Amino acid sequence: MSTPEDQSPGPRPESPRTRDRIYRSPAALVGGALLLAVIGWLGIDAVVTGEGRTPWLALAVLLLVVPLVVAFTLRPAVFAGEDRLRVRNPFRVIELPWGEVVSLRSGYTNEVVVKSGTKYQLWSIPVSLRARKKAARQQARREAEARGEGRRRGFGFGFGGGFGGLGGVDAAATADQGPVRAETDQVMDELREMLAAREKAAGSQGEVSVRWAYEVVGPAGVGLVLLAVVLAVL
């Protein structure tokens, strides 16, 4: 009696790809929305109620200024996926496979460096020196509290370390929390972890591509030309 052959297992379903992590500046989004509201209110009012060359000037300024405000506030974003880093800056979109990325640097600006030596600034992850100083003060205060707690434990009395163990900050727990970092520095740490994990993957290889944002440059250019014509003719 023959035994039935073992059925070969079917193809394993592919694991769902994780969604890209998106990093944007909340302050830039809020500021851009407020600027657009003010510019729109003043500009439209000048177009509708203005006299003489005022409506044309207002229209030209709107065409020039609105795309620039959008470009520098609402548009910038960084999309970190499994295979690549996509950087959307005011006037360009840069596709960076993880295999082409050499490092992610933080100084006065946050930037990504590729193998060719080219650097691309991460507009949506701005550096805040104020936030860094605040984080440094918090870290120093935490370390001082941990040292003070250690001294209290050293001079405690009673069972289990005495009364020194009943309150204050646990030095071991404080160490486990890690250093205090500014928010944008934490974001850069996350991107560095993704780079270390994905730079050797097969899907993370490829070439860097750069595309100009003509949807921003075009309207702004038209507004600039119209403004020059209005100022020259009217």
Side-chain angles (χ1 to χ4, degrees), residues 91-127:
F91 301 113
R92 296 188 297 177
V93 177
I94 305 103
E95 298 273 353
L96 303 163
W98 287 117
E100 288 294 314
V101 177
V102 174
S103 64
L104 291 149
R105 297 180 181 175
S106 296
Y108 291 104
T109 60
N110 290 317
E111 57 189 18
V112 55
V113 183
V114 298
K115 291 181 178 179
S116 64
T118 307
K119 302 175 184 178
Y120 300 100
Q121 185 175 345
L122 305 179
W123 278 82
S124 67
I125 311 177
V127 170

Side-chain angles (χ1 to χ4, degrees), residues 30-168:
V30 174
L34 292 176
L35 279 175
L36 289 176
V38 173
I39 293 171
W41 173 42
L42 296 176
I44 294 174
D45 180 70
V47 171
V48 174
T49 63
E51 299 179 355
R53 69 174 185 175
T54 300
W56 290 102
L57 282 174
L59 181 60
V61 170
L62 284 175
L63 285 174
L64 175 61
V65 173
V66 169
L68 294 180
V69 172
V70 171
F72 284 96
T73 58
L74 306 183
R75 177 180 170 79
V78 171
F79 303 85
E82 290 184 353
D83 299 332
R84 63 191 61 240
L85 184 69
R86 183 159 64 96
V87 180
R88 195 170 68 190
N89 282 344
F91 301 113
R92 296 188 297 177
V93 177
I94 305 103
E95 298 273 353
L96 303 163
W98 287 117
E100 288 294 314
V101 177
V102 174
S103 64
L104 291 149
R105 297 180 181 175
S106 296
Y108 291 104
T109 60
N110 290 317
E111 57 189 18
V112 55
V113 183
V114 298
K115 291 181 178 179
S116 64
T118 307
K119 302 175 184 178
Y120 300 100
Q121 185 175 345
L122 305 179
W123 278 82
S124 67
I125 311 177
V127 170
S128 173
L129 298 180
R130 180 180 179 182
R132 283 182 176 176
K133 292 179 181 178
K134 181 179 179 181
R137 290 195 299 268
Q138 291 178 349
Q139 178 65 21
R141 184 163 56 248
R142 176 188 291 183
E143 292 175 353
E145 291 175 351
R147 289 194 298 268
E149 178 63 21
R151 286 194 295 269
R152 286 195 297 271
R153 285 180 178 273
F155 291 100
F157 56 90
F159 297 100
F163 295 113
L166 298 179

